[in-house]
Amino acid sequence: MNDEGLRLEGLKADRDRYVSLAFCWADLLFELDRQFAVLFAAGATSAFFGRSGDALVGTSFRDLVAPADVPMLGQIMRQIAKTGRSQDNVIRMIGPQGNLIWVSLAAYCLDPVQGHFFVGLRRSRPSEKADRLSRPEPGREGLYDSGSFAELAADRLKKIQSAGEQAHVTLLSIPTYKDLADRLTSRDSATLASSVSDFLKANSVGGDSAAKVGDGQFSILHAATTRIETVVGQIEALTRRVDPTGKGAAVESATLTMDAADISEADLSRGLLYALTKFREADGSGLSIADLAANMSSLVEEAVTEVSRFRSVVSQASFYVALQPIIQIHTGDIHHYEALCRFNAKPGESPFKTITFAEETGLIHDFDLAMARKVIEWLGHYPRNNDKVRVAVNVSGFSIGRPAYIDSLMWLLKDNAWTRGKLMFEITESARMSDLQSANNFIQALRSRGYHVCLDDFGAGAASFQYLSVLDVDVVKLDGSAVKNAQRAPKGRAFLSALTELCRRMHVETIAEMVDTEDTLLFCRECGCSYVQGFLFGKPSPDIADFSPLPQGGLFRRGGTRSSL
C-alpha cells in the first residue's frame, strides 16, 4: 500500500474512533482486539489508571476490570459480538491505587465476526446501576433480600454462562452470630453490618450481587476465580475487630456450582430461592452448611421439578375448596366461611407443605389468583341475589407485593362485580409485607370496591400492633396459638380482653381461631371476641350442607344481635 493509501487508512481509523467516542459520550475510549487486548486508548487514562494511553496498549482489558466483574465483562462483550452494540452497563475498574472506580460502559463493533471492539467509559456511581435494574433496591444494610437476590443471580448466571464465563453462588454463615451480637453495642453492631455488607458487595459480580438471607447468613454471586477462603478470613477479621473480647466469630461457607444451560431463568430463580430458604431454616436445626451444600444442587433440581408440577396444578385448577364456618359468638349464626384449599392429588391431606413451597419459590401469587377464581366459580352456583352465603379467600402477604397479582385481581373483581357482599379477603403471612403503606393501599382498593378485609395471625407477634396502626381493616383474626396461650396464662384473660377492647374502639371486629373445645368458646366469649372458628364446629368440608345444622349449635343462645361485619 502506498503512502496515500496508508494515510486514508489512518483517516478511516481516526474517523471510527471519533464516531465511537461521540457515540459513547465517554471520558475514555479503547479499541480492543477479539481477545480484549488494548490496541488504542485515549482520554483520561492517567486519572483512571495512573498510566498513559500508550502505556496501556498491549494490556488485557480484563486486567483493568475488577476481578469480581470480569464474568460480567465477558457477558457484555459476547452481547456486542452478537448485536453490534451495548450500552448502559455499570461495572468497576481498578484505579491507580488499587481502588475500585464505578464506570458506565458503552461499546460497539462494526464487524461482529472479525471487527475490533470500541469501548467507551464514563465515571458512574452505584446508584446509577440500581436505577437501571428492574428489581427491588437492596435493603437497609445495602444487601438484597433472598427473593430479589435469586432473581438477580439467576439473570446474571444465565448470561454469564452463555458467554462462556463462570460464576458461582456461595453461602456464608456465622453460626455464633447471636452470641456475638449480644456482646456488641448497637453502634458496633451497625458497624459490623455495614462492613460485612460493603465487603460482600465489593467481591460480588457487578458490585451488588449479595444478599442477607437471615441473621448472620449471607449469599454472594462471585467470579469463579474468587478465593472464598480469603473472603471468609476477612469477615472473621471484621468480627474480631468489633468484638470487645477480641474473640470474633468463625465463618462457614459452601459454594454452589450449577449448570444453568438447561434451566430457564425463571425456574433457576425459583430454585435458588428455594435453596436459600432451606439455608435460612437450617439455622439452629443441627444441619451444617456443608451438609446443606452437599445437597444444594439436588435441592435446586427438586425445586425446578416441583415448580413445574405446581404450575400444572394451578393452570389446570387441580384443587378444590373446603369451607370452614366463622360463627357469631353469641347467636351461633354463620357469618361467612373461610375458603381453604385441598389438592385433588392429595385429598384429605393438609395443603400446608405445598402452600409453603409456593411461598418459598415465589409462586404463591399465581395460586392466590387461581384460588380467587375458584371461589368466585363456587359462589356462581348460587343465585346472584342471594347474600346469605359469604366466603373469605386468602391472600398471602407475598402476593400483595406483586403488582401483576394486584392488577389481575382488580380486573377479576371488575369482571365479577356481582361478588360484592359475597366475597371477602383474608390476608395471611402478614409478616411478609415489607411495605405497609403499599399494603394498606391494596386493602383500601378492595374496601372501596365493597369487599371486607380481614388480617390473619393477629397477636402472634409484637409487629401485630404496628400492622393494626397502619392497616385499616374490617376484622382481625386472633392467632390460635395466642388464644391458647392466653387461656393458659394467669394474665391471659386480661390480655385478650384488652386486645378485643382495643379493636372494638378502632371499629375492628375480632375472630378467635382454633376454638376446639367448649371451654375455649366460653373463654373467648368472656374476653369479648366477636366471632369464633375451629374444629368444635366441624372440620373443613367441600359440602356446605355439613354445617346445616351447625355442629354444637346448642352451645349458643338464639336471638342475639347480628354483627355488622
Side-chain angles (χ1 to χ4, degrees):
M1 182 180 294
N2 57 29
D3 291 343
E4 181 62 13
L6 290 172
R7 187 182 69 82
L8 291 175
E9 283 295 315
L11 288 174
K12 182 177 181 297
D14 288 342
R15 182 202 64 190
D16 289 343
R17 289 165 184 157
Y18 175 80
V19 170
S20 62
L21 181 61
F23 171 76
C24 294
W25 43 249
D27 296 323
L28 289 168
L29 173 66
F30 289 88
E31 181 180 352
L32 312 178
D33 66 15
R34 302 297 288 192
Q35 285 71 47
F36 307 152
V38 177
L39 302 177
F40 173 85
T45 58
S46 295
F48 274 73
F49 304 108
R51 288 184 278 175
S52 67
D54 290 341
L56 290 172
V57 173
T59 302
S60 172
F61 191 74
R62 287 174 177 267
D63 294 339
L64 303 177
V65 176
D69 289 356
V70 168
M72 182 176 288
L73 173 69
Q75 172 249 311
I76 293 169
M77 303 312 279
R78 176 70 173 267
Q79 177 188 350
I80 296 167
K82 287 183 176 180
T83 64
R85 66 175 58 192
S86 180
Q87 61 190 67
D88 290 339
N89 303 288
V90 182
I91 64 172
R92 294 164 296 171
M93 310 299 291
I94 303 174
Q97 306 301 322
N99 56 306
L100 298 183
I101 302 173
W102 288 89
V103 299
S104 292
L105 181 152
Y108 82 102
C109 179
L110 293 175
D111 182 353
V113 179
Q114 296 181 334
H116 293 168
F117 297 105
F118 293 92
V119 179
L121 303 179
R122 185 180 70 175
R123 277 191 179 272
S124 182
R125 63 186 194 282
S127 59
E128 285 191 26
K129 186 181 195 71
D131 292 342
R132 291 167 188 158
L133 289 171
S134 57
R135 318 182 183 284
E137 290 197 21
R140 185 174 58 184
E141 295 175 2
L143 299 176
Y144 284 100
D145 60 23
S146 295
S148 301
F149 174 80
E151 291 183 27
L152 181 66
D155 172 61
R156 288 181 174 168
L157 274 173
K158 289 289 291 184
K159 291 177 179 176
I160 287 169
Q161 290 190 6
S162 68
E165 303 285 345
Q166 289 297 319
H168 302 312
V169 172
T170 289
L171 309 178
L172 297 157
S173 175
I174 306 176
T176 59
Y177 178 81
K178 292 180 181 177
D179 293 335
L180 174 63
D182 289 341
R183 299 195 296 270
L184 302 181
T185 64
S186 57
R187 181 176 180 179
D188 287 339
S189 292
T191 298
L192 178 61
S194 176
S195 298
V196 171
S197 171
D198 291 344
F199 181 73
L200 289 176
K201 288 188 294 183
N203 285 276
S204 71
V205 172
D208 63 349
S209 303
K212 179 180 178 180
V213 180
D215 289 337
Q217 295 176 307
F218 308 92
S219 60
I220 177 176
L221 175 67
H222 59 86
T225 55
T226 300
R227 295 177 63 85
I228 290 300
E229 61 271 23
T230 301
V231 173
V232 167
Q234 289 289 338
I235 296 176
E236 289 178 341
L238 290 173
T239 66
R240 289 193 295 271
R241 191 176 304 162
V242 297
D243 189 348
T245 69
K247 180 181 178 181
V251 177
E252 297 179 353
S253 68
T255 297
L256 318 180
T257 56
M258 59 193 77
D259 185 358
D262 298 325
I263 306 175
S264 71
E265 182 182 325
D267 284 347
L268 180 59
S269 172
R270 293 188 174 105
L272 281 171
L273 178 57
Y274 183 63
L276 291 173
T277 301
K278 294 301 181 185
F279 171 44
R280 184 182 68 246
E281 293 174 348
D283 184 33
S285 67
L287 183 67
S288 72
I289 190 173
D291 294 334
L292 191 64
N295 298 305
M296 195 59 72
S297 295
S298 61
L299 274 176
V300 173
E301 293 174 5
E302 174 190 337
V304 170
T305 300
E306 288 300 318
V307 162
S308 177
R309 186 177 302 155
F310 187 80
R311 278 178 171 167
S312 177
V313 168
V314 172
S315 64
Q316 298 175 23
S318 301
F319 57 91
Y320 61 92
V321 173
L323 303 169
Q324 189 171 35
I326 281 72
I327 302 152
Q328 213 286 334
I329 200 165
H330 295 295
T331 68
D333 292 332
I334 295 176
H335 181 272
H336 69 276
Y337 298 86
E338 180 181 1
L340 301 168
C341 167
R342 296 295 183 266
F343 293 98
N344 295 351
K346 303 174 181 178
E349 182 178 320
S350 170
F352 177 78
K353 183 177 179 181
T354 303
I355 296 299
T356 300
F357 172 81
E359 291 171 340
E360 291 173 345
T361 52
L363 289 170
I364 191 64
H365 62 286
D366 291 331
F367 178 74
D368 280 350
L369 194 62
M371 188 68 176
R373 291 194 185 101
K374 180 75 79 170
V375 171
I376 289 174
E377 178 186 346
W378 185 90
L379 284 169
H381 295 151
Y382 290 85
R384 295 194 175 184
N385 62 354
N386 179 0
D387 291 332
K388 293 182 179 180
V389 178
R390 289 181 282 192
V391 180
V393 63
N394 290 331
V395 178
S396 171
F398 288 93
S399 299
I400 292 176
R402 293 274 187 165
Y405 165 79
I406 295 174
D407 291 343
S408 297
L409 179 64
M410 294 306 169
W411 277 109
L412 179 65
L413 297 180
K414 182 178 180 181
D415 291 341
N416 296 276
W418 58 270
T419 58
R420 292 191 184 99
K422 301 178 178 66
L423 186 64
M424 300 169 59
F425 291 90
E426 184 171 319
I427 298 175
T428 65
E429 290 295 327
S430 54
R432 303 297 184 178
M433 296 185 296
S434 57
D435 185 344
L436 292 184
Q437 189 54 57
S438 294
N440 193 51
N441 292 341
F442 167 73
I443 291 170
Q444 301 321 308
L446 290 175
R447 298 179 75 212
S448 67
R449 287 166 171 78
Y451 299 95
H452 284 113
V453 178
C454 172
L455 183 63
D456 196 12
D457 302 323
F458 188 76
S464 295
F465 296 96
Q466 181 188 6
Y467 298 153
L468 191 59
S469 67
V470 177
L471 306 178
D472 192 5
V473 297
D474 300 286
V475 61
V476 296
K477 181 175 286 188
L478 303 176
D479 181 73
S481 61
V483 173
K484 297 291 187 185
N485 290 336
Q487 192 175 4
R488 290 191 297 264
K491 299 180 180 179
R493 188 183 305 273
F495 170 77
L496 194 61
S497 297
L499 202 58
T500 59
E501 176 63 15
L502 171 66
C503 291
R504 188 187 67 80
R505 288 174 178 267
M506 299 181 71
H507 307 289
V508 174
E509 296 197 278
T510 52
I511 300 172
E513 64 177 358
M514 290 179 62
V515 177
D516 303 331
T517 67
E518 183 177 350
D519 286 343
T520 304
L521 171 64
L522 294 174
F523 176 75
C524 292
R525 186 179 288 160
E526 291 169 358
C527 290
C529 297
S530 311
Y531 299 90
V532 287
Q533 175 184 8
F535 284 177
L536 180 62
F537 315 107
K539 294 184 177 181
S541 170
D543 188 355
I544 197 172
D546 288 344
F547 305 106
S548 182
L550 178 70
Q552 302 296 332
L555 297 175
F556 300 90
R557 67 174 188 270
R558 296 295 169 180
T561 302
R562 189 176 182 85
S563 170
S564 61
L565 176 65

